[in-house]
Amino acid sequence: MYGDEATIRTILTGLGDTWAVVGLSSNRSRAAYGVAEVLRRYGKRVVPVHPKAEPVGGEQGYASLADIPFDVDVVDVFVNSELAGAVADEAVAKGARAVWFQLGVVDEAAYERTRAAGLEMVMDACPAIEIPRLG
């Protein structure tokens, strides 16, 4: 995992509650759907980002981060590692404060670029696992 306990705590409790979840669709069998539900239970506003741009959990969906007409605090990435770096770059361009790559999503170059741009970042971890541990 990339991101220490302090970074995890900062992202989950200190940077704001608007999370764009890239890869979130209305498919309840996908991991992104379950993680989004946990984030909502902890008071996060979860904005779905998916090519279908379908609404999920009562929140309008968007085809890309750039299409979201308001600020986003954290970008949670549920795409393959090969695609994740481009999403991290989009998060920087969007003005997000942090990027979170889910379990199994690893791109060390993207991690370095994102941190160099001044964003907090966690990689290869799951906020739905980490947030309950914070107490």
Side-chain angles (χ1 to χ4, degrees):
M1 179 172 61
Y2 296 76
D4 60 23
E5 195 73 28
T7 301
I8 289 169
R9 182 173 295 279
T10 296
I11 292 172
L12 290 171
T13 65
L15 293 184
D17 291 332
T18 301
W19 284 55
V21 179
V22 179
L24 175 59
S25 71
S26 62
N27 184 343
R28 292 174 178 265
S29 68
R30 303 290 298 185
Y33 193 93
V35 170
E37 289 296 304
V38 172
L39 290 170
R40 277 192 205 93
R41 279 200 303 274
Y42 280 87
K44 307 301 182 191
R45 177 184 185 188
V46 177
V47 181
V49 179
H50 189 278
K52 293 180 182 176
E54 59 191 350
V56 179
E59 190 73 46
Q60 172 63 49
Y62 298 92
S64 72
L65 290 173
D67 291 342
I68 301 173
F70 48 83
D71 291 340
V72 169
D73 300 308
V74 181
V75 176
D76 188 7
V77 182
F78 273 95
V79 300
N80 294 331
S81 296
E82 300 78 39
L83 304 173
V87 176
D89 295 340
E90 290 172 27
V92 170
K94 175 72 180 161
R97 301 171 74 191
V99 174
W100 192 297
F101 280 8
Q102 282 296 141
L103 286 169
V105 180
V106 176
D107 181 332
E108 292 180 10
Y111 182 86
E112 295 302 324
R113 286 194 312 273
T114 303
R115 296 290 295 132
L119 282 71
E120 298 289 345
M121 186 163 179
V122 172
M123 185 165 67
D124 194 22
C126 181
I129 293 170
E130 300 298 329
I131 201 167
R133 292 185 327 108
L134 297 179

